């Protein structure tokens, strides 16, 4: 069992409120008879406890419970809640959201069909594009050589 | 603090928050309303002010119950709200001193002794009111509410060492300020 000065000091409030065991109470009582510091503390705490608090009455307590519940429920209900605000049941917003969802879904379906159609056509388009590219290369070779000769001045040197 | 009481409080809180059970929160208010009032009275020193503070503190506790993280006991959390409400309420207001205007009109024996006791209590109450807020709080929570050092530290949001220091300073000040005629120890 605790028996030092500090330990007894910690037990003083238990002794004062009568919550200690019989043995612990006897220990504190013995200590108080020989320690002035603890005796002073115990005495002052005891005197403080003699100051009574006025009783507001049963009706006050009964009304208090009702008032607290009423006011607290109103304040909780009035408090801004983002989730509640976002998901509050608003018929117009719900209708608009539904239309938007239908529009997005239908656009998605239409667009996926269009892509499939385009992918099939791309094969022929690629073939046509490769023919065109071939023609342009041939043309460049014909006219390119001539231009290159003119620009480099080969023809002039040959004439000279 | 009683562990059973703590788990019972948590059960009532869950019943209110999850199930919307209003009788659970009512039970919790009934359980603690007197302690809240007494704490408010000890801080404010006036019955009417203590009534207002009690109502404010309980409304605040019920409204903020969802923010109660359960790191401490509900009782400790409620005391903290009460103490803060009381300090905010009394901030700027001088602690009301109780005027003793009774005179001995009765011829009964012991009437003068009763009056001396009342006068002693009034003076001690004045001395307690004159202490700095944190010293006063440590005395109120330790002596009147019987909280342990750890619980007092949790309510005051400081270390146990700081509570010890505030409390012993307060007791020493009270002891020094108490007139000699009041220091009649009878253990």
């Amino acid at each position: 069992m605790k028996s030092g000065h500090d330990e007894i000091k910690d037990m003083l409030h238990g002794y004062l409120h009568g919550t200690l065991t019989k043995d612990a109470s006897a220990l504190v009582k013995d200590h108080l008879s020989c320690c002035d510091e603890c005796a002073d503390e115990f005495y002052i705490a005891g005197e403080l406890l003699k100051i009574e608090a006025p009783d507001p009455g049963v009706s006050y307590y009964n009304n208090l419970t009702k008032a607290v519940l009423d006011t607290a429920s109103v304040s909780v209900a009035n408090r801004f809640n983002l989730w509640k605000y976002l998901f509050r049941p608003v018929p117009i917003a719900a209708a608009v959201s539904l239309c938007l969802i239908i529009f997005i879904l239908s656009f998605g379906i239409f667009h996926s069909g269009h892509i499939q159609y385009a992918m099939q056509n791309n094969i022929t388009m690629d073939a046509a594009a490769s023919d065109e590219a071939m023609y342009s290369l041939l043309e460049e070779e014909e006219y390119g050589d001539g231009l290159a000769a003119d620009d480099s001045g080969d023809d002039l040197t040959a004439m000279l | 603090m009683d562990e059973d009481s703590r788990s019972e409080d948590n059960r009532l809180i869950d019943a209110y928050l999850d199930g919307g059970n209003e009788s659970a929160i009512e039970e919790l208010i009934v359980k603690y309303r007197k302690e809240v009032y007494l704490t408010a009275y000890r801080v404010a020193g006036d019955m009417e002010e203590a009534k207002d503070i009690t109502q404010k503190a309980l409304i605040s506790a019920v409204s903020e119950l969802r923010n109660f993280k359960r790191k401490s006991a509900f009782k400790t959390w409620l005391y903290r709200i009460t103490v803060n409400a009381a300090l905010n309420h009394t901030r700027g207001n001088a602690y009301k001193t109780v005027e003793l205007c009774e005179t001995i009109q009765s011829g009964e024996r012991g009437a003068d002794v009763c009056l001396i006791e009342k006068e002693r209590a009034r003076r001690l109450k004045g001395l307690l009111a004159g202490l700095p807020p944190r010293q006063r709080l440590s005395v109120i929570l330790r002596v009147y509410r019987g909280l342990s050092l750890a619980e007092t530290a949790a309510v005051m949001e400081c270390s146990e060492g700081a509570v010890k220091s505030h409390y012993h300073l307060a007791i020493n000040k009270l002891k020094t300020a108490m007139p000699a005629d009041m220091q009649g120890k009878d253990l």
Side-chain angles (χ1 to χ4, degrees):
Chain A
M1 190 178 285
K2 295 171 176 180
S3 57
H5 172 80
D6 288 341
E7 285 80 10
I8 297 285
K9 229 173 164 50
D10 289 342
M11 291 156 74
L12 275 182
H13 292 94
Y15 182 66
L16 201 64
H17 290 275
T19 56
L20 295 183
T21 60
K22 211 174 174 181
D23 289 347
S25 295
L27 204 66
V28 174
K29 200 173 179 183
D30 282 351
H31 182 78
L32 286 175
S33 62
C34 59
C35 176
D36 283 346
E37 191 189 331
C38 288
D40 284 343
E41 186 181 328
F42 179 75
Y43 170 72
I44 288 167
E47 286 296 308
L48 285 168
L49 277 176
K50 285 182 189 169
I51 305 172
E52 289 176 359
D55 187 3
V58 180
S59 63
Y60 163 74
Y61 283 127
N62 290 338
N63 292 336
L64 173 75
T65 308
K66 195 180 177 306
V68 168
L69 286 174
D70 289 348
T71 318
S73 60
V74 167
S75 73
V76 168
N78 288 343
R79 189 179 300 166
F80 179 76
N81 186 325
L82 184 66
W83 287 109
K84 274 188 181 175
Y85 179 79
L86 289 175
F87 294 103
R88 69 196 192 285
V90 181
I92 296 169
V96 169
S97 310
L98 194 66
C99 289
L100 204 64
I101 290 165
I102 291 167
F103 175 74
I104 291 166
L105 285 174
S106 61
F107 181 77
I109 291 162
F110 171 77
H111 195 65
S112 65
H114 186 73
I115 288 167
Q116 279 178 354
Y117 176 77
M119 280 171 71
Q120 283 170 357
N121 284 356
N122 258 357
I123 301 160
T124 51
M125 279 171 71
D126 286 348
S130 62
D131 284 347
E132 262 184 30
M134 189 67 81
Y135 281 124
S136 65
L137 275 170
L138 287 169
E139 278 172 7
E140 261 181 44
E141 268 183 32
E142 278 178 16
Y143 296 105
D145 284 349
L147 280 168
D150 287 344
D151 286 345
S152 61
D154 283 349
D155 289 356
L156 190 63
T157 46
M159 282 167 69
L160 290 170
Chain B
M1 198 172 286
D2 189 6
E3 203 56 43
D4 290 343
S5 171
R6 189 173 174 166
S7 57
E8 173 64 10
D9 291 349
N10 285 338
R11 188 190 64 76
L12 292 171
I13 292 165
D14 288 338
Y16 175 66
L17 291 179
D18 301 337
N21 185 355
E22 220 169 65
S23 65
I25 196 70
E26 198 174 332
E27 199 178 319
L28 210 57
I29 292 172
V30 170
K31 186 177 175 183
Y32 288 111
R33 63 190 180 185
K34 195 170 182 183
E35 288 187 45
V36 171
Y37 164 76
L38 288 173
T39 309
Y41 176 76
R42 295 301 179 190
V43 178
D46 178 74
M47 188 170 80
E48 290 308 315
E49 282 189 25
K51 282 179 177 179
D52 289 348
I53 294 163
T54 304
Q55 188 163 336
K56 274 183 195 171
L58 287 172
I59 288 168
S60 177
V62 175
S63 308
E64 297 295 324
L65 204 56
R66 218 166 271 280
N67 296 330
F68 171 49
K69 305 288 182 211
R70 306 188 193 197
K71 286 176 186 167
S72 60
F74 173 74
K75 187 179 168 182
T76 310
W77 184 71
L78 185 60
Y79 274 140
R80 198 180 306 149
I81 290 176
T82 308
V83 162
N84 287 338
L87 289 177
N88 286 338
H89 192 89
T90 53
R91 193 167 288 154
N93 297 347
Y95 186 95
K96 289 187 182 174
T97 51
V98 181
E99 290 300 324
L100 195 71
C101 52
E102 293 170 44
T103 50
I104 304 170
Q105 290 178 341
S106 165
E108 289 173 25
R109 284 175 66 194
D112 52 343
V113 176
C114 180
L115 198 59
I116 288 166
E117 280 294 316
K118 281 187 176 177
E119 173 63 9
R120 182 187 280 203
R122 188 188 70 83
R123 286 163 78 176
L124 194 56
K125 196 177 168 187
L127 290 175
L128 181 65
L131 292 174
R134 292 189 81 75
Q135 289 180 17
R136 199 166 84 228
L137 271 184
S138 67
V139 172
I140 290 167
L141 296 171
R142 294 278 282 143
V143 176
Y144 289 116
R145 303 274 37 95
L147 297 190
S148 68
L149 267 179
E151 287 165 349
T152 310
V155 173
M156 290 175 65
E157 294 177 287
C158 63
S159 66
E160 287 183 29
V163 172
K164 263 187 185 177
S165 166
H166 288 310
Y167 179 74
H168 290 297
L169 276 171
I171 291 292
N172 283 338
K173 277 187 189 174
L174 290 175
K175 188 186 153 196
T176 315
M178 268 170 86
D181 62 299
M182 284 170 73
Q183 296 190 16
K185 288 179 234 174
D186 40 309
L187 301 175

